[in-house]
Amino acid sequence: MKQQQSSRSITVILVVVLVACMLLSIRLGAVSISLSEMQSAFSRYFTTPDTVTLNERIFMTIRLPRAFLCVLVGASLAVGGTLMQALFRNPIVEPGLIGTSSGAAFGAAMYFALGAMFKFDTGVWTLPIAAGAGALLSTILVYILSLSGQTKKNSIVVLLLVGMAVNALFMSGVGFFSYIARDPQARSITFWGLGNLSGADWTVIKVVCVSTFGCITVAMRYAKDLNALMLGDDEAMLLGVNLKGLKVTILLINVVMIAVVTAFAGVISFVGLIVPHMLRAVKGADNRFLIPNSALLGGILLTLADLLARMLLRPAELPVGIVTSVIGVPIFIYLLRRTKYII
Amino acid sequence: MITVKNITYKTGDNTLVDDISVEFKPGIVNLIVGPNGAGKSTLIKMLSGQMKETSGMVMYGGKPLGVYTLRELAKSRALLSQNMELAFSARVSEVVMMGRYPHFSERPTTSDLQACDEAMKYADIAYLKDRDYTTLSGGEKQRVQFARVLAQIWYPEPNKCRYLLLDEPLAYLDVYYQHQLMQQIKLLRSDTLVVVGVVHDLNIAAKYGESISMIHRGKLLLTGTPESVFTEANIKEVYGVEAEILVNKGKPYICF
């Protein structure tokens, strides 16, 4: 009972911090927006759209969607990291590990390089679709290649190694496309590979919202099975866990979540890696606790990272992936040195 | 009751278990012995459902293993092996609670909590319950695993047997705890509990086993009381060593 209470109070704290970070990130920027402007924007935007001031417009069409996108992307990346670490029973796993991110980057690079050459464009959705397709392709490739010929079973070690190989393959594909692309496109490829949250609008939010909440809801149903998996494949099976169903479902959730956020926000690293570490260091490895709370903490971290990315070189914007890496690496190394994880 | 009918397990050209038929009854401690590579572990893994037999059949209470769902099976069948890994840190009480996972869906009920408490007391590890499992010694981990397995099948179900399988569980225990564990298992005896275990140490088997099955090169040599199985001739044939059988507290004692 005491256990449950303390995890509930952590959740409450995270929710409060998340809301505070969102408000801060909406308020600050090239122009600052006051709380009263936020209030009046809500009432006037829907009733009398003609009288909306510039600041109110910035709030409704730029800052607010961006804040939501940050939270959703951060939540997806962090939950993806939690799920992958639980599934692979390895604390150094990231959603990108099984090829998902590099596949998405490959799809995007192909779009940037070839789209410009062949004047191929179907509007704003082309990039997300290309990235999503790349993510699916690479993940399926990793999954199929890692089915070992003899037993048709997925061994975790094989999956990790194949993931590394496929990652290398797709990243060299990205390199190839940057090489053949013209300068502006090559710059887009690089820029997108570092993460970019400026594409937020309400349509994007809707899509990401459905994927994030849908995937987290499904993942919660498997939290207990993922706990049992900590004991090993055999032990989990003896506790009634359908291993194949669990692995396929969790991998699929990860592909959907990561492909969607990578498609709209580019490649953002380290959030998926460090969030589960931070939470485990506080409260142990119960996935029923980790999954919802990593969503909250992921949202917080990415909101703060994005705020920094916008503020440091004002009015220019740093790619957010640079900030997450710069913050993430020292935290990760600190956590690794402090806790004695078995790797 | 576990009934094994003509089971065989082949991988490639090797036959690891060759046409074994045997019955394991409730209320007694059934132990399987045999030299390295005789097929003991393969046999117990087929009994637990971890490995699928090439031919033949394993039956729990008269029904083939295949008709039970994984979850149903998990409620009445538990296996203690020497695998003690835990990928991440967790409290001992949570590890024991994993044994109850097949019994509840969201939150543990009071009976789940009670089963864990009682199992931890029975296995004599209640004092470890708030410790981080990954910081325990090998022997402590093994006893926590024993409590987890006990919690899994702690309550008898009406008109149903429970099955406790052991796959060489003594490896990380010192002499004191080896005997303690075997004694605790023996004291669990009940008309609704089938105990089948693989053990290495012949004297442990002779002391605690009531029905011994001796396996040699994938085949069942014989099943019987310790006195009838542990003879100088059988040990010479199966292990290839000269042994002398003494009597210690009414049980055979094998001197090499």
Side-chain angles (χ1 to χ4, degrees):
Chain A
M1 287 302 122
K2 226 167 73 187
Q3 282 287 305
Q4 269 188 40
Q5 271 171 11
S6 81
S7 34
R8 224 168 269 155
S9 53
I10 291 175
T11 307
V12 172
I13 293 170
L14 288 176
V15 170
V16 172
V17 174
L18 178 64
V19 173
C21 288
M22 283 177 78
L23 283 175
L24 194 68
S25 139
I26 292 169
R27 202 174 135 61
L28 299 176
V31 291
S32 40
I33 297 171
S34 68
L35 280 172
S36 62
E37 278 174 316
M38 294 184 203
Q39 264 180 352
S40 64
F42 266 121
S43 51
R44 268 198 281 181
Y45 203 80
F46 298 105
T47 51
T48 50
D50 304 339
T51 62
V52 184
T53 65
L54 179 66
N55 271 13
E56 287 166 359
R57 191 174 297 281
I58 291 175
F59 167 70
M60 284 305 287
T61 58
I62 298 176
R63 294 280 172 82
L64 197 57
R66 186 168 184 146
F68 277 116
L69 187 64
C70 277
V71 172
L72 292 170
V73 170
S76 289
L77 292 172
V79 171
T82 303
L83 295 179
M84 288 300 99
Q85 294 184 5
L87 186 66
F88 289 96
R89 287 192 288 266
N90 189 321
I92 54 160
V93 173
E94 236 216 324
L97 188 105
I98 49 161
T100 318
S101 301
S102 61
F106 176 79
M110 186 149 86
Y111 159 77
F112 285 126
L114 301 183
M117 269 179 207
F118 301 112
K119 304 271 180 273
F120 165 80
D121 200 345
T122 55
V124 288
W125 293 93
T126 321
L127 173 59
I129 289 169
L136 263 176
L137 177 73
S138 60
T139 312
I140 290 170
L141 193 64
V142 169
Y143 190 75
I144 291 173
L145 287 176
S146 65
L147 288 171
S148 78
Q150 281 202 326
T151 54
K152 294 283 173 224
K153 271 188 190 164
N154 250 314
S155 127
I156 296 287
V157 177
V158 175
L159 202 56
L160 285 168
L161 291 173
V162 173
M164 277 171 66
V166 169
N167 262 340
L169 181 70
F170 278 85
M171 287 322 283
S172 65
V174 173
F176 171 74
F177 284 122
S178 327
Y179 179 71
I180 62 163
R182 284 164 223 268
D183 270 353
Q185 280 82 41
R187 215 178 130 71
S188 295
I189 293 174
T190 312
F191 197 62
W192 191 85
L194 293 170
N196 179 11
L197 289 155
S198 61
D201 67 42
W202 292 110
T203 325
V204 169
I205 301 292
K206 274 181 217 155
V207 176
V208 181
C209 203
V210 169
S211 121
T212 305
F213 281 100
C215 290
I216 292 176
T217 311
V218 179
M220 276 305 286
R221 298 175 56 108
Y222 288 90
K224 205 160 59 93
D225 286 358
L226 287 171
N227 283 358
L229 205 59
M230 286 200 275
L231 295 164
D233 276 9
D234 279 346
E235 267 63 22
M237 199 214 81
L238 289 163
L239 288 171
V241 175
N242 173 355
L243 285 177
K244 196 161 185 217
L246 176 69
K247 286 181 184 176
V248 171
T249 313
I250 295 299
L251 286 176
L252 209 61
I253 291 176
N254 190 57
V255 171
V256 172
M257 247 181 350
I258 302 309
V260 169
V261 299
T262 309
F264 291 110
V267 179
I268 299 170
S269 43
F270 276 103
V271 177
L273 191 61
I274 60 171
V275 167
H277 274 261
M278 295 170 82
L279 287 171
R280 266 199 300 269
V282 180
K283 198 66 184 44
D286 185 345
N287 288 290
R288 289 165 297 184
F289 166 80
L290 286 182
I291 293 170
N293 289 291
S294 60
L296 294 170
L297 187 56
I300 293 171
L301 285 192
L302 195 60
T303 305
L304 290 178
D306 181 56
L307 184 62
L308 276 179
R310 288 188 291 121
M311 297 302 282
L312 284 175
L313 298 179
R314 246 177 325 170
E317 232 179 68
L318 267 178
V320 70
I322 293 177
V323 178
T324 57
S325 298
V326 169
I327 300 174
V329 173
I331 296 181
F332 178 61
I333 289 172
Y334 166 74
L335 286 170
L336 270 188
R337 292 175 65 95
R338 215 194 58 153
T339 42
K340 36 186 184 337
Y341 281 123
I342 328 127
I343 292 180
Chain B
M1 171 122 72
I2 297 180
T3 315
V4 175
K5 270 193 182 164
N6 308 100
I7 56 169
T8 298
Y9 187 85
K10 287 184 184 166
T11 56
D13 290 336
N14 296 324
T15 305
L16 302 181
V17 169
D18 191 357
D19 195 25
I20 288 184
S21 295
V22 61
E23 273 185 353
F24 299 111
K25 294 189 178 67
I28 55 170
V29 176
N30 299 278
L31 295 178
I32 301 167
V33 296
N36 291 334
K40 304 181 299 277
S41 270
T42 311
L43 180 60
I44 202 97
K45 286 197 171 85
M46 285 192 284
L47 293 185
S48 67
Q50 285 166 279
M51 286 167 99
K52 183 90 185 84
E53 58 277 1
T54 315
S55 63
M57 192 185 273
V58 176
M59 296 198 291
Y60 276 30
K63 282 195 259 176
L65 206 54
V67 306
Y68 296 94
T69 64
L70 280 174
R71 180 93 183 260
E72 273 171 2
L73 216 49
K75 287 182 183 176
S76 59
R77 179 271 290 117
L79 177 130
L80 180 63
S81 67
Q82 44 183 292
N83 178 12
M84 311 182 298
E85 83 165 66
L86 190 73
F88 300 102
S89 297
R91 278 151 41 106
V92 165
S93 56
E94 186 55 41
V95 175
V96 175
M97 183 54 85
M98 287 177 189
R100 297 303 296 174
Y101 278 2
H103 300 272
F104 65 89
S105 57
E106 291 284 317
R107 294 266 153 218
T109 64
T110 41
S111 79
D112 294 318
L113 292 164
Q114 198 187 334
C116 288
D117 277 347
E118 289 175 15
M120 282 192 282
K121 276 199 197 102
Y122 190 88
D124 210 8
I125 54 137
Y127 68 99
L128 295 173
K129 107 181 167 199
D130 292 320
R131 288 273 302 275
D132 174 355
Y133 177 86
T134 53
T135 65
L136 302 180
S137 75
E140 287 169 331
K141 283 180 180 167
Q142 185 62 357
R143 286 153 55 215
V144 172
Q145 293 290 345
F146 180 52
R148 174 181 68 80
V149 162
L150 281 182
Q152 190 179 346
I153 53 169
W154 190 248
Y155 297 117
E157 289 185 62
N159 308 320
K160 261 188 172 173
C161 259
R162 291 165 295 152
Y163 306 90
L164 176 60
L165 308 177
L166 313 161
D167 189 2
E168 297 186 15
L170 304 173
Y172 295 94
L173 300 175
D174 61 30
V175 181
Y176 176 83
Y177 284 116
Q178 284 186 4
H179 286 276
Q180 189 195 50
L181 182 69
M182 291 311 293
Q183 193 62 37
Q184 284 166 342
I185 287 166
K186 195 162 181 172
L187 287 175
L188 283 172
R189 274 180 307 186
S190 118
D191 292 344
T192 60
L193 179 68
V194 180
V195 178
V196 185
V198 168
V199 289
H200 246 310
D201 186 325
L202 297 185
N203 283 315
I204 293 251
K207 186 166 181 198
Y208 296 97
E210 285 144 293
S211 167
I212 308 287
S213 299
M214 193 175 249
I215 309 239
H216 185 38
R217 294 191 185 132
K219 286 188 190 301
L220 178 66
L221 196 72
L222 80 162
T223 299
T225 60
E227 289 78 8
S228 64
V229 173
F230 294 122
T231 62
E232 283 161 20
N234 284 344
I235 288 173
K236 172 82 180 148
E237 184 192 337
V238 170
Y239 289 91
V241 267
E242 301 285 349
E244 191 185 337
I245 311 295
L246 307 176
V247 176
N248 177 27
K249 294 176 187 161
K251 298 284 184 185
Y253 185 82
I254 303 117
C255 264
F256 300 102

